Protein backbone atom coordinates (compact mmCIF):
# COMPACT_ATOMS: atom_id res chain seq x y z
CA UNK A 1 0.00 0.00 0.00
CA UNK A 2 1.43 3.35 -0.96
CA UNK A 3 2.38 5.75 1.77
CA UNK A 4 1.92 8.86 -0.38
CA UNK A 5 -1.16 11.03 0.07
CA UNK A 6 -4.04 10.45 -2.31
CA UNK A 7 -3.33 11.85 -5.72
CA UNK A 8 -6.29 12.74 -7.89
CA UNK A 9 -6.23 13.63 -11.57
CA UNK A 10 -6.56 17.33 -12.38
CA UNK A 11 -10.21 17.12 -13.41
CA UNK A 12 -11.27 15.22 -10.29
CA UNK A 13 -9.25 17.58 -8.13
CA UNK A 14 -11.24 20.49 -9.57
CA UNK A 15 -14.50 18.66 -8.92
CA UNK A 16 -13.39 17.99 -5.37
CA UNK A 17 -12.73 21.67 -4.85
CA UNK A 18 -16.15 22.36 -6.32
CA UNK A 19 -17.80 19.92 -3.93
CA UNK A 20 -16.02 21.65 -1.06
CA UNK A 21 -17.41 25.02 -2.19
CA UNK A 22 -20.86 23.42 -2.56
CA UNK A 23 -20.62 22.14 1.00
CA UNK A 24 -20.00 25.69 2.20
CA UNK A 25 -22.86 26.99 0.08
CA UNK A 26 -25.18 24.31 1.51
CA UNK A 27 -24.26 25.23 5.04
CA UNK A 28 -24.90 28.91 4.35
CA UNK A 29 -28.24 28.47 2.55
CA UNK A 30 -29.60 25.81 4.88
CA UNK A 31 -28.59 27.81 7.94
CA UNK A 32 -30.40 30.86 6.60
CA UNK A 33 -33.49 28.73 5.97
CA UNK A 34 -33.42 27.20 9.44
CA UNK A 35 -32.95 30.61 11.09
CA UNK A 36 -35.94 31.93 9.13
CA UNK A 37 -37.94 28.89 10.20
CA UNK A 38 -36.82 29.19 13.82
CA UNK A 39 -38.30 32.70 13.95
CA UNK A 40 -41.72 31.46 12.88
CA UNK A 41 -41.59 28.23 14.89
CA UNK A 42 -44.73 27.87 16.94
CA UNK A 43 -46.50 24.88 18.41
CA UNK A 44 -46.96 23.13 15.08
CA UNK A 45 -45.49 19.63 15.11
CA UNK A 46 -45.16 19.61 11.31
CA UNK A 47 -43.20 22.86 11.43
CA UNK A 48 -40.98 21.53 14.20
CA UNK A 49 -40.30 18.30 12.31
CA UNK A 50 -39.57 20.11 9.05
CA UNK A 51 -37.26 22.43 10.95
CA UNK A 52 -35.32 19.60 12.58
CA UNK A 53 -35.05 17.85 9.24
CA UNK A 54 -33.71 21.10 7.78
CA UNK A 55 -31.17 21.52 10.57
CA UNK A 56 -30.14 17.86 10.20
CA UNK A 57 -29.44 18.39 6.52
CA UNK A 58 -26.73 20.90 7.53
CA UNK A 59 -24.81 18.15 9.33
CA UNK A 60 -23.67 16.02 6.34
CA UNK A 61 -21.98 18.86 4.42
CA UNK A 62 -20.31 20.02 7.63
CA UNK A 63 -19.11 16.50 8.41
CA UNK A 64 -17.96 16.11 4.81
CA UNK A 65 -15.81 19.22 5.13
CA UNK A 66 -14.20 17.84 8.27
CA UNK A 67 -13.69 14.41 6.71
CA UNK A 68 -12.10 16.02 3.64
CA UNK A 69 -9.35 17.40 5.85
CA UNK A 70 -8.59 13.91 7.13
CA UNK A 71 -8.92 11.74 4.06
CA UNK A 72 -5.92 13.27 2.26
CA UNK A 73 -3.50 12.63 5.11
CA UNK A 74 -0.69 10.25 4.22
CA UNK A 75 -0.65 6.85 5.90
CA UNK A 76 1.34 6.69 9.10
CA UNK A 77 2.42 4.04 11.56
CA UNK A 78 -0.86 4.06 13.46
CA UNK A 79 -3.07 4.10 10.34
CA UNK A 80 -0.97 2.24 7.76
CA UNK A 81 -3.85 2.10 5.27
CA UNK A 82 -4.30 5.85 5.27
CA UNK A 83 -7.29 7.96 6.22
CA UNK A 84 -9.47 7.56 3.14
CA UNK A 85 -12.22 5.91 5.19
CA UNK A 86 -12.78 9.04 7.24
CA UNK A 87 -15.59 9.68 4.76
CA UNK A 88 -17.24 6.34 5.51
CA UNK A 89 -16.99 6.93 9.24
CA UNK A 90 -18.56 10.38 8.97
CA UNK A 91 -21.23 8.89 6.77
CA UNK A 92 -22.00 6.19 9.33
CA UNK A 93 -22.35 8.71 12.12
CA UNK A 94 -24.65 11.08 10.23
CA UNK A 95 -26.81 8.25 8.89
CA UNK A 96 -27.30 6.78 12.36
CA UNK A 97 -28.15 10.16 13.86
CA UNK A 98 -30.63 10.78 11.05
CA UNK A 99 -32.39 7.46 11.66
CA UNK A 100 -32.64 7.98 15.41
CA UNK A 101 -33.97 11.53 15.03
CA UNK A 102 -36.54 10.28 12.55
CA UNK A 103 -37.72 7.62 14.99
CA UNK A 104 -38.15 10.07 17.88
CA UNK A 105 -40.05 12.50 15.68
CA UNK A 106 -42.28 9.72 14.36
CA UNK A 107 -43.14 8.61 17.91
CA UNK A 108 -43.85 12.26 18.81
CA UNK A 109 -46.20 12.73 15.86
CA UNK A 110 -47.94 9.38 16.37
CA UNK A 111 -48.59 10.21 20.05
CA UNK A 112 -50.10 13.55 19.06
CA UNK A 113 -52.35 11.88 16.51
CA UNK A 114 -53.47 9.15 18.91
CA UNK A 115 -54.14 11.43 21.88
CA UNK A 116 -55.72 14.09 19.63
CA UNK A 117 -53.34 16.92 20.62
CA UNK A 118 -54.38 19.93 18.55
CA UNK A 119 -51.82 22.51 17.42
CA UNK A 120 -52.53 26.05 18.67
CA UNK A 121 -51.29 28.63 16.14
CA UNK A 122 -51.97 32.23 17.07
CA UNK A 123 -50.97 35.55 15.56
CA UNK A 124 -47.75 37.42 14.90
CA UNK A 125 -47.29 41.16 14.53
CA UNK A 126 -45.06 41.92 11.53
CA UNK A 127 -44.44 45.55 10.63
CA UNK A 128 -47.58 46.66 12.41
CA UNK A 129 -49.81 44.03 10.81
CA UNK A 130 -51.26 41.31 12.98
CA UNK A 131 -51.46 38.13 10.89
CA UNK A 132 -52.02 34.46 11.56
CA UNK A 133 -48.65 32.88 12.39
CA UNK A 134 -49.37 30.08 9.91
CA UNK A 135 -48.67 32.33 6.92
CA UNK A 136 -45.09 33.29 7.82
CA UNK A 137 -44.47 29.61 8.65
CA UNK A 138 -45.57 28.65 5.15
CA UNK A 139 -43.34 31.39 3.69
CA UNK A 140 -40.33 30.08 5.65
CA UNK A 141 -41.06 26.53 4.51
CA UNK A 142 -41.32 27.64 0.90
CA UNK A 143 -37.95 29.42 1.15
CA UNK A 144 -36.33 26.35 2.66
CA UNK A 145 -37.89 24.21 -0.07
CA UNK A 146 -36.31 26.42 -2.74
CA UNK A 147 -32.87 26.27 -1.07
CA UNK A 148 -32.97 22.47 -0.86
CA UNK A 149 -33.94 22.03 -4.50
CA UNK A 150 -31.22 24.41 -5.66
CA UNK A 151 -28.43 22.77 -3.63
CA UNK A 152 -29.55 19.28 -4.62
CA UNK A 153 -29.47 20.23 -8.29
CA UNK A 154 -25.97 21.72 -8.00
CA UNK A 155 -24.52 18.75 -6.13
CA UNK A 156 -25.86 15.93 -8.24
CA UNK A 157 -23.59 16.24 -11.32
CA UNK A 158 -20.52 16.69 -9.09
CA UNK A 159 -21.39 13.60 -7.07
CA UNK A 160 -21.88 11.58 -10.24
CA UNK A 161 -18.54 12.67 -11.73
CA UNK A 162 -16.67 12.04 -8.47
CA UNK A 163 -18.41 8.72 -7.75
CA UNK A 164 -18.94 10.15 -4.32
CA UNK A 165 -21.59 8.24 -2.42
CA UNK A 166 -21.71 10.62 0.51
CA UNK A 167 -22.22 13.58 -1.79
CA UNK A 168 -24.80 11.70 -3.86
CA UNK A 169 -26.73 10.82 -0.72
CA UNK A 170 -26.54 14.46 0.33
CA UNK A 171 -27.86 15.66 -3.01
CA UNK A 172 -30.68 13.14 -2.72
CA UNK A 173 -31.42 14.31 0.80
CA UNK A 174 -31.50 17.97 -0.28
CA UNK A 175 -33.88 17.19 -3.10
CA UNK A 176 -36.07 15.04 -0.88
CA UNK A 177 -36.38 18.00 1.47
CA UNK A 178 -38.98 19.46 -0.88
CA UNK A 179 -41.28 16.62 0.08
CA UNK A 180 -40.80 17.36 3.78
CA UNK A 181 -41.40 21.07 3.40
CA UNK A 182 -44.22 20.47 0.95
CA UNK A 183 -45.86 18.10 3.43
CA UNK A 184 -45.49 20.65 6.22
CA UNK A 185 -47.11 23.32 4.04
CA UNK A 186 -50.02 21.00 3.27
CA UNK A 187 -50.29 20.20 7.00
CA UNK A 188 -50.46 23.89 7.91
CA UNK A 189 -53.07 24.55 5.22
CA UNK A 190 -55.15 21.69 6.61
CA UNK A 191 -54.87 23.31 10.05
CA UNK A 192 -55.94 26.64 8.53
CA UNK A 193 -59.07 24.93 7.25
CA UNK A 194 -59.81 23.54 10.70
CA UNK A 195 -58.44 20.03 10.23
CA UNK A 196 -56.15 19.73 13.22
CA UNK A 197 -54.87 16.24 12.32
CA UNK A 198 -53.16 17.70 9.24
CA UNK A 199 -50.35 18.94 11.47
CA UNK A 200 -49.38 15.73 13.25
CA UNK A 201 -50.21 13.72 10.11
CA UNK A 202 -47.75 15.60 7.95
CA UNK A 203 -45.20 15.52 10.79
CA UNK A 204 -45.48 11.71 10.78
CA UNK A 205 -44.97 11.66 7.02
CA UNK A 206 -41.85 13.85 7.29
CA UNK A 207 -40.37 11.68 10.04
CA UNK A 208 -40.89 8.59 7.89
CA UNK A 209 -38.98 10.36 5.10
CA UNK A 210 -36.15 11.13 7.51
CA UNK A 211 -36.00 7.50 8.69
CA UNK A 212 -36.04 6.24 5.10
CA UNK A 213 -33.15 8.56 4.23
CA UNK A 214 -31.13 7.59 7.26
CA UNK A 215 -31.75 3.88 7.00
CA UNK A 216 -30.77 3.55 3.35
CA UNK A 217 -27.54 5.43 4.13
CA UNK A 218 -26.84 3.20 7.13
CA UNK A 219 -27.25 0.10 4.97
CA UNK A 220 -24.96 1.49 2.30
CA UNK A 221 -22.17 2.54 4.61
CA UNK A 222 -22.29 -0.73 6.56
CA UNK A 223 -21.86 -2.60 3.28
CA UNK A 224 -18.83 -0.36 2.64
CA UNK A 225 -17.34 -1.18 6.01
CA UNK A 226 -18.00 -4.90 5.27
CA UNK A 227 -15.61 -4.54 2.30
CA UNK A 228 -18.36 -4.94 -0.27
CA UNK A 229 -17.20 -4.91 -3.87
CA UNK A 230 -17.51 -1.46 -5.49
CA UNK A 231 -21.11 -0.69 -6.38
CA UNK A 232 -22.47 1.71 -8.93
CA UNK A 233 -23.61 5.08 -7.67
CA UNK A 234 -27.14 5.16 -6.38
CA UNK A 235 -27.87 1.57 -7.39
CA UNK A 236 -27.32 -1.79 -5.78
CA UNK A 237 -25.57 -3.16 -8.88
CA UNK A 238 -21.90 -4.15 -8.76
CA UNK A 239 -19.36 -1.99 -10.51
CA UNK A 240 -17.68 -3.50 -13.59
CA UNK A 241 -14.24 -2.39 -12.43
CA UNK A 242 -13.07 -5.62 -10.69
CA UNK A 243 -13.99 -7.63 -13.79
CA UNK A 244 -12.10 -5.15 -15.98
CA UNK A 245 -9.01 -5.26 -13.77
CA UNK A 246 -8.99 -9.07 -13.66
CA UNK A 247 -9.42 -9.25 -17.42
CA UNK A 248 -6.58 -6.79 -17.94
CA UNK A 249 -4.34 -8.86 -15.66
CA UNK A 250 -5.15 -12.04 -17.58
CA UNK A 251 -4.16 -10.25 -20.79
CA UNK A 252 -0.57 -10.13 -19.56
CA UNK A 253 1.43 -12.86 -21.33
CA UNK A 254 3.07 -14.17 -18.14
CA UNK A 255 -0.24 -14.48 -16.20
CA UNK A 256 -2.17 -17.74 -16.37
CA UNK A 257 -5.18 -16.70 -14.29
CA UNK A 258 -6.15 -13.62 -12.27
CA UNK A 259 -8.70 -12.45 -9.75
CA UNK A 260 -9.39 -8.93 -8.45
CA UNK A 261 -10.58 -8.43 -4.89
CA UNK A 262 -11.47 -4.76 -4.77
CA UNK A 263 -13.33 -2.67 -2.22
CA UNK A 264 -14.30 0.92 -1.80
CA UNK A 265 -11.99 2.97 0.32
CA UNK A 266 -13.74 6.24 0.92
CA UNK A 267 -14.15 7.77 -2.50
CA UNK A 268 -11.27 5.60 -3.84
CA UNK A 269 -11.06 1.91 -4.70
CA UNK A 270 -8.31 -0.33 -3.41
CA UNK A 271 -7.59 -4.05 -3.00
CA UNK A 272 -5.57 -6.94 -4.27
CA UNK A 273 -5.13 -8.55 -7.63
CA UNK A 274 -4.17 -12.21 -7.28
CA UNK A 275 -2.30 -13.64 -10.25
CA UNK A 276 -1.07 -17.17 -11.02
CA UNK A 277 2.19 -16.67 -12.97
CA UNK A 278 3.20 -19.09 -15.72
CA UNK A 279 6.82 -19.00 -14.49
CA UNK A 280 8.88 -17.41 -11.72
CA UNK A 281 11.13 -15.66 -14.24
CA UNK A 282 11.65 -11.94 -13.54
CA UNK A 283 8.65 -12.06 -11.22
CA UNK A 284 9.36 -9.02 -9.03
CA UNK A 285 9.77 -6.63 -11.95
CA UNK A 286 6.70 -8.04 -13.69
CA UNK A 287 4.58 -7.57 -10.58
CA UNK A 288 5.76 -3.98 -10.23
CA UNK A 289 4.91 -3.24 -13.87
CA UNK A 290 1.53 -4.92 -13.54
CA UNK A 291 0.75 -2.85 -10.45
CA UNK A 292 1.51 0.35 -12.32
CA UNK A 293 -0.45 -0.60 -15.45
CA UNK A 294 -3.50 -1.90 -13.61
CA UNK A 295 -3.66 1.19 -11.39
CA UNK A 296 -3.86 3.32 -14.54
CA UNK A 297 -7.12 1.65 -15.63
CA UNK A 298 -9.26 3.97 -13.48
CA UNK A 299 -8.52 7.13 -11.53
CA UNK A 300 -10.29 5.74 -8.49
CA UNK A 301 -7.78 2.89 -8.11
CA UNK A 302 -5.06 3.52 -5.57
CA UNK A 303 -2.82 1.44 -3.34
CA UNK A 304 -3.42 -1.63 -5.49
CA UNK A 305 -1.35 -4.69 -4.59
CA UNK A 306 -0.60 -7.40 -7.15
CA UNK A 307 0.22 -10.69 -5.49
CA UNK A 308 1.59 -13.85 -7.11
CA UNK A 309 -0.13 -16.99 -5.85
CA UNK A 310 0.18 -20.68 -6.68
CA UNK A 311 -3.52 -21.25 -7.08
CA UNK A 312 -6.81 -19.34 -7.03
CA UNK A 313 -9.89 -20.05 -5.01
CA UNK A 314 -12.90 -18.99 -7.06
CA UNK A 315 -15.64 -16.86 -5.42
CA UNK B 1 -42.62 42.53 0.91
CA UNK B 2 -45.73 44.54 0.04
CA UNK B 3 -46.82 41.84 -2.38
CA UNK B 4 -46.32 39.18 0.31
CA UNK B 5 -48.40 41.20 2.75
CA UNK B 6 -51.10 41.69 0.14
CA UNK B 7 -51.11 37.96 -0.54
CA UNK B 8 -51.42 37.23 3.19
CA UNK B 9 -54.27 39.72 3.50
CA UNK B 10 -56.04 38.07 0.57
CA UNK B 11 -55.70 34.67 2.20
CA UNK B 12 -56.72 36.05 5.56
CA UNK B 13 -59.78 37.56 3.90
CA UNK B 14 -61.20 34.15 3.10
CA UNK B 15 -61.77 33.66 6.84
CA UNK B 16 -58.76 31.50 7.62
CA UNK B 17 -57.79 29.95 9.93
CA UNK B 18 -60.90 28.07 10.95
CA UNK B 19 -61.73 26.31 14.21
CA UNK B 20 -61.96 22.52 14.16
CA UNK B 21 -64.88 22.82 16.62
CA UNK B 22 -66.29 26.24 15.59
CA UNK B 23 -65.60 27.79 19.01
CA UNK B 24 -65.61 31.35 17.64
CA UNK B 25 -69.04 30.89 16.03
CA UNK B 26 -70.41 29.36 19.22
CA UNK B 27 -69.19 32.29 21.33
CA UNK B 28 -70.34 35.12 19.05
CA UNK B 29 -73.60 36.65 20.30
CA UNK B 30 -73.87 33.88 22.89
CA UNK B 31 -72.16 32.88 26.13
CA UNK B 32 -68.42 32.98 26.71
CA UNK B 33 -67.46 30.55 29.46
CA UNK B 34 -64.36 31.79 31.26
CA UNK B 35 -62.54 29.96 34.04
CA UNK B 36 -61.07 32.20 36.71
CA UNK B 37 -58.36 31.56 39.29
CA UNK B 38 -57.82 34.17 41.97
CA UNK B 39 -54.40 35.77 41.47
CA UNK B 40 -54.22 39.34 42.76
CA UNK B 41 -53.59 41.85 41.33
CA UNK B 42 -54.29 40.27 37.92
CA UNK B 43 -57.62 38.76 38.93
CA UNK B 44 -59.58 39.68 42.05
CA UNK B 45 -62.45 37.29 42.65
CA UNK B 46 -64.41 37.42 45.89
CA UNK B 47 -66.85 34.61 44.99
CA UNK B 48 -69.88 33.77 42.96
CA UNK B 49 -71.91 36.61 44.47
CA UNK B 50 -70.21 39.44 42.57
CA UNK B 51 -68.38 39.84 39.26
CA UNK B 52 -64.59 39.50 39.39
CA UNK B 53 -62.46 42.60 38.96
CA UNK B 54 -58.86 43.30 38.01
CA UNK B 55 -56.93 43.67 34.76
CA UNK B 56 -57.72 40.29 33.28
CA UNK B 57 -61.47 40.23 34.01
CA UNK B 58 -61.85 43.69 32.42
CA UNK B 59 -59.87 42.49 29.38
CA UNK B 60 -62.19 39.48 29.15
CA UNK B 61 -65.23 41.78 29.39
CA UNK B 62 -63.83 43.91 26.56
CA UNK B 63 -63.32 40.84 24.36
CA UNK B 64 -66.84 39.60 25.15
CA UNK B 65 -68.33 42.99 24.33
CA UNK B 66 -66.63 42.99 20.92
CA UNK B 67 -68.11 39.61 20.14
CA UNK B 68 -71.54 40.44 21.55
CA UNK B 69 -71.18 37.69 24.11
CA UNK B 70 -72.02 37.54 27.81
CA UNK B 71 -69.41 36.16 30.20
CA UNK B 72 -70.21 33.19 32.38
CA UNK B 73 -67.58 32.78 35.10
CA UNK B 74 -66.48 29.24 35.98
CA UNK B 75 -64.85 28.77 39.39
CA UNK B 76 -62.86 25.58 39.93
CA UNK B 77 -59.34 24.57 40.98
CA UNK B 78 -56.74 25.53 38.38
CA UNK B 79 -55.98 21.99 37.18
CA UNK B 80 -59.68 21.26 36.61
CA UNK B 81 -60.10 24.48 34.65
CA UNK B 82 -57.07 23.62 32.52
CA UNK B 83 -58.45 20.14 31.86
CA UNK B 84 -61.84 21.62 30.87
CA UNK B 85 -60.05 24.10 28.64
CA UNK B 86 -58.00 21.34 27.00
CA UNK B 87 -61.25 19.41 26.35
CA UNK B 88 -62.84 22.60 24.92
CA UNK B 89 -65.61 22.69 27.55
CA UNK B 90 -64.76 26.31 28.42
CA UNK B 91 -63.44 29.10 26.19
CA UNK B 92 -60.77 30.88 28.25
CA UNK B 93 -59.01 30.62 31.60
CA UNK B 94 -57.45 33.59 33.40
CA UNK B 95 -55.41 33.74 36.60
CA UNK B 96 -52.24 35.78 36.23
CA UNK B 97 -50.58 33.22 33.94
CA UNK B 98 -47.21 33.83 32.35
CA UNK B 99 -46.02 32.22 29.14
CA UNK B 100 -43.41 30.00 30.82
CA UNK B 101 -45.87 27.90 32.83
CA UNK B 102 -45.83 24.19 31.94
CA UNK B 103 -49.55 24.41 31.10
CA UNK B 104 -48.40 25.61 27.69
CA UNK B 105 -48.01 21.95 26.71
CA UNK B 106 -51.71 21.31 27.33
CA UNK B 107 -53.45 24.55 26.35
CA UNK B 108 -52.82 27.52 24.07
CA UNK B 109 -51.39 30.66 25.66
CA UNK B 110 -52.23 33.88 23.84
CA UNK B 111 -49.81 36.63 22.89
CA UNK B 112 -48.87 38.62 25.99
CA UNK B 113 -51.27 41.42 26.85
CA UNK B 114 -48.73 42.89 29.24
CA UNK B 115 -45.00 42.49 29.70
CA UNK B 116 -43.11 43.39 32.83
CA UNK B 117 -40.49 40.95 34.07
CA UNK B 118 -42.82 38.24 32.73
CA UNK B 119 -45.05 37.98 29.71
CA UNK B 120 -48.66 37.86 30.96
CA UNK B 121 -51.05 35.76 28.90
CA UNK B 122 -54.55 34.32 28.84
CA UNK B 123 -55.15 30.61 28.28
CA UNK B 124 -57.27 29.40 25.34
CA UNK B 125 -58.25 25.91 24.16
CA UNK B 126 -55.58 24.26 21.98
CA UNK B 127 -56.19 24.08 18.23
CA UNK B 128 -59.21 26.42 18.05
CA UNK B 129 -57.19 28.80 15.92
CA UNK B 130 -59.93 31.13 14.64
CA UNK B 131 -60.93 31.69 18.25
CA UNK B 132 -57.31 32.17 19.30
CA UNK B 133 -56.76 34.70 16.51
CA UNK B 134 -59.95 36.59 17.45
CA UNK B 135 -58.88 36.75 21.11
CA UNK B 136 -55.36 37.88 20.22
CA UNK B 137 -56.66 40.59 17.87
CA UNK B 138 -58.93 41.85 20.64
CA UNK B 139 -55.99 41.80 23.07
CA UNK B 140 -53.91 43.91 20.65
CA UNK B 141 -56.75 46.42 20.36
CA UNK B 142 -57.35 46.71 24.09
CA UNK B 143 -53.97 46.31 25.70
CA UNK B 144 -53.31 50.04 25.41
CA UNK B 145 -56.31 50.77 27.61
CA UNK B 146 -55.26 48.50 30.42
CA UNK B 147 -54.19 50.27 33.58
CA UNK B 148 -52.06 48.20 35.86
CA UNK B 149 -52.69 48.06 39.62
CA UNK B 150 -49.70 50.31 40.23
CA UNK B 151 -50.98 52.84 37.68
CA UNK B 152 -48.57 51.73 34.95
CA UNK B 153 -49.97 51.53 31.40
CA UNK B 154 -49.59 48.21 29.57
CA UNK B 155 -47.21 48.62 26.70
CA UNK B 156 -45.03 46.16 24.90
Amino acid sequence: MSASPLQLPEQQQQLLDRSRRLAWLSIALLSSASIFMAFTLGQSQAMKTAWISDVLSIVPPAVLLVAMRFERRPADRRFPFGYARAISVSFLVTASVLTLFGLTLLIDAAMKLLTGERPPIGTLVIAGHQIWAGWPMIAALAYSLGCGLLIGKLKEPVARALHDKALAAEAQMNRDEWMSEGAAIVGLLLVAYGMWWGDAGSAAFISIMIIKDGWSSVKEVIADLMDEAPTTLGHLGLDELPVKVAAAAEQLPWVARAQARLREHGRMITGQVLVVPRSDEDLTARLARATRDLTNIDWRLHGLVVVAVADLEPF
Amino acid sequence: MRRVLLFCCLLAACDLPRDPDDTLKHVQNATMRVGIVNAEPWTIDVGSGSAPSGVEPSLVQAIAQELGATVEWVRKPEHELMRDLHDRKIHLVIGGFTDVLPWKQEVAFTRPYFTDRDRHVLAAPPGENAWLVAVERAIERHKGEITMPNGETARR
Side-chain angles (χ1 to χ4, degrees):
Chain A
M1 199 119 329
S2 80
S4 66
L6 288 184
Q7 291 297 329
L8 292 178
E10 179 92 1
Q11 195 196 351
Q12 272 72 28
Q13 187 57 52
Q14 278 173 6
L15 284 167
L16 202 63
D17 291 341
R18 187 165 158 72
S19 77
R20 185 176 295 123
R21 282 196 301 274
L22 279 175
W24 280 113
L25 180 72
S26 311
I27 294 173
L29 276 181
L30 294 171
S31 308
S32 77
S34 46
I35 290 170
F36 188 5
M37 282 162 92
F39 272 113
T40 64
L41 213 56
Q43 297 215 47
S44 155
Q45 179 73 17
M47 189 69 192
K48 184 177 130 195
T49 312
W51 181 64
I52 291 181
S53 131
D54 192 74
V55 171
L56 281 178
S57 65
I58 302 175
V59 177
V63 168
L64 195 72
L65 281 174
V66 175
M68 274 177 164
R69 309 210 93 159
F70 280 95
E71 69 167 347
R72 309 293 300 279
R73 283 196 187 172
D76 50 32
R77 271 177 64 201
R78 187 169 288 274
F79 291 99
F81 294 92
Y83 290 80
R85 273 193 170 166
I87 294 265
S88 300
V89 172
S90 67
F91 204 32
L92 178 64
V93 173
T94 51
S96 318
V97 170
L98 208 61
T99 313
L100 286 177
F101 256 106
L103 277 172
T104 356
L105 288 169
L106 181 62
I107 292 168
D108 241 25
M111 289 302 290
K112 288 209 166 165
L113 270 182
L114 290 177
T115 56
E117 285 305 330
R118 304 179 175 198
I121 302 174
T123 59
L124 275 180
V125 177
I126 299 172
H129 296 267
Q130 190 174 18
I131 55 171
W132 187 51
W135 305 131
M137 286 185 198
I138 289 174
L141 285 166
Y143 173 70
S144 165
L145 193 157
C147 289
L149 278 183
L150 175 72
I151 297 167
K153 267 229 138 37
L154 290 175
K155 276 180 194 164
E156 209 209 45
V158 181
R160 200 189 298 274
L162 271 179
H163 256 268
D164 189 326
K165 279 186 181 167
L167 194 63
E170 245 184 81
Q172 187 65 42
M173 189 174 163
N174 289 140
R175 266 177 303 141
D176 286 352
E177 270 295 295
W178 78 263
M179 277 194 267
S180 303
E181 269 107 25
I185 290 175
V186 170
L188 284 171
L189 286 175
L190 284 171
V191 171
Y193 279 95
M195 283 162 271
W196 61 268
W197 45 263
D199 184 54
S202 74
F205 174 80
I206 300 167
S207 5
I208 290 171
M209 299 281 306
I210 298 177
I211 295 171
K212 207 185 115 236
D213 247 15
W215 185 240
S216 65
S217 304
V218 166
K219 275 199 305 205
E220 207 173 301
V221 72
I222 285 182
D224 262 11
L225 295 176
M226 284 276 297
D227 287 343
E228 189 189 27
T231 51
T232 50
L233 199 65
H235 305 281
L236 294 174
L238 293 179
D239 200 297
E240 286 296 296
L241 193 57
V243 180
K244 250 165 79 181
V245 171
E250 282 187 342
Q251 290 283 310
L252 298 170
W254 55 273
V255 173
R257 276 181 304 142
Q259 187 181 62
R261 291 181 184 171
L262 303 185
R263 59 188 159 86
E264 286 175 23
H265 197 217
R267 68 179 82 248
M268 308 301 275
I269 290 176
T270 189
Q272 306 145 349
V273 182
L274 308 182
V275 294
V276 181
R278 291 184 200 279
S279 76
D280 285 354
E281 191 196 328
D282 200 18
L283 192 55
T284 313
R286 280 172 166 174
L287 286 175
R289 265 200 310 278
T291 306
R292 199 191 53 217
D293 294 345
L294 294 177
T295 304
N296 282 336
I297 290 177
D298 194 294
W299 67 266
R300 285 178 293 159
L301 286 169
H302 93 113
L304 209 61
V305 180
V306 182
V307 193
V309 290
D311 200 11
L312 280 179
E313 248 177 72
F315 291 123
Chain B
M1 188 63 199
R2 189 168 294 170
R3 208 175 290 170
V4 173
L5 276 177
L6 189 72
F7 179 59
C8 293
C9 293
L10 275 177
L11 282 171
C14 44
D15 88 283
L16 291 179
R18 292 182 194 158
D19 286 331
D21 283 356
D22 291 329
T23 301
L24 180 58
K25 280 182 194 149
H26 292 154
V27 171
Q28 271 166 337
N29 304 313
T31 314
M32 186 167 133
R33 291 167 54 80
V34 181
I36 182 163
V37 180
N38 206 2
E40 289 182 41
W42 313 99
T43 58
I44 305 153
D45 186 27
V46 287
S48 34
S50 58
S53 60
V55 182
E56 292 186 2
S58 40
L59 186 57
V60 164
Q61 291 292 1
I63 297 169
Q65 202 176 11
E66 268 192 21
L67 297 167
T70 39
V71 178
E72 182 190 324
W73 297 104
V74 182
R75 295 174 172 89
K76 278 183 186 179
E78 184 172 320
H79 70 276
E80 285 182 34
L81 286 175
M82 287 303 191
R83 192 195 300 147
D84 286 356
L85 190 66
H86 178 264
D87 298 343
R88 300 174 299 284
K89 287 178 188 152
I90 53 180
H91 302 126
L92 280 179
V93 176
I94 57 172
F97 304 132
T98 59
D99 69 342
V100 293
L101 291 175
W103 289 122
K104 70 177 173 193
Q105 304 293 335
E106 315 285 326
V107 302
F109 282 149
T110 61
R111 288 174 63 75
Y113 68 87
F114 180 77
T115 308
D116 44 20
R117 232 177 28 190
D118 303 305
R119 282 192 290 272
H120 295 271
V121 297
L122 314 183
E128 296 300 287
N129 291 324
W131 169 237
L132 182 60
V133 168
V135 170
E136 290 193 352
R137 284 190 198 281
I139 289 175
E140 283 301 307
R141 274 192 293 272
H142 291 285
K143 70 180 186 183
E145 306 158 10
I146 296 170
T147 313
M148 297 314 295
N150 55 8
E152 206 182 331
T153 311
R155 287 253 161 67
R156 283 206 306 148

